[in-house]
Amino acid sequence: MTQRQAILSGSVFEERIGYARAVVDGDWVHVSGTTGFDYADMTISEDVVEQAGQCLRNIGAALEKAGCSFADVVRVRYLLPERDDFEPCWPVLRACFGEVRPAATMLVCGLADPRMKIEIEVYARRGSGGGALPLID
């Protein structure tokens, strides 16, 4: 039987809503939609690019606790209330995912708090990160 493990970040949202930052299920790691809050002091920047960077730091910490890294990410979803905010984030996102090249989707939708300008969700498979994937045209 596969062992499930919940990974908590200390975010007040996890306690109030009743979820985990990530769930490890066998080799799979499911990271919840993660926003740009700095969970240490529950602050959030007004700048979407800074929020994207904080999202990735939060996700990286969860992946590390799960025993993997961005190299193991196979799927990423970006959720933004404003379509025009996505392109300015591309350099920050590429820094984490440019070599990994996970399957990706960007959705325009409302988020839970109007201060949130981006939310990122990832799925990873532990041990799958072995460098860049070959490109197939």
Side-chain angles (χ1 to χ4, degrees):
M1 177 175 263
T2 301
Q3 187 92 321
R4 280 180 36 140
Q5 173 191 6
I7 295 173
L8 303 177
S9 68
S11 162
V12 298
F13 299 121
E14 294 167 355
E15 182 61 32
R16 289 180 185 164
I17 300 169
Y19 71 96
R21 174 65 38 222
V23 173
V24 178
D25 188 10
D27 287 334
W28 287 99
V29 180
H30 306 268
V31 180
S32 294
T34 303
T35 63
F37 273 95
D38 180 337
Y39 299 131
D41 57 12
M42 288 308 293
T43 58
I44 190 166
S45 171
E46 292 182 13
D47 180 74
V48 68
V49 176
E50 289 179 23
Q51 283 193 28
Q54 186 63 51
C55 289
L56 294 169
R57 285 188 292 279
N58 294 340
I59 290 167
L63 291 171
E64 186 177 333
K65 286 181 183 178
C68 60
S69 71
F70 284 107
D72 298 301
V73 172
V74 297
R75 179 81 161 113
V76 60
R77 283 194 187 92
Y78 306 105
L79 303 106
L80 295 94
E82 299 295 330
R83 173 179 298 134
D84 292 340
D85 281 346
F86 190 46
E87 190 170 349
C89 296
W90 290 358
V92 173
L93 303 175
R94 184 172 178 78
C96 280
F97 300 117
E99 295 297 317
V100 179
R101 297 198 182 258
T105 301
M106 185 279 230
L107 300 167
V108 175
C109 61
L111 298 179
D113 182 316
R115 296 174 292 173
M116 298 171 179
K117 296 184 178 187
I118 186 169
E119 185 170 320
I120 303 172
E121 162 185 85
V122 304
Y123 300 95
R125 189 167 60 84
R126 293 192 290 190
S128 68
L133 297 173
L135 299 178
I136 300 172
D137 289 327

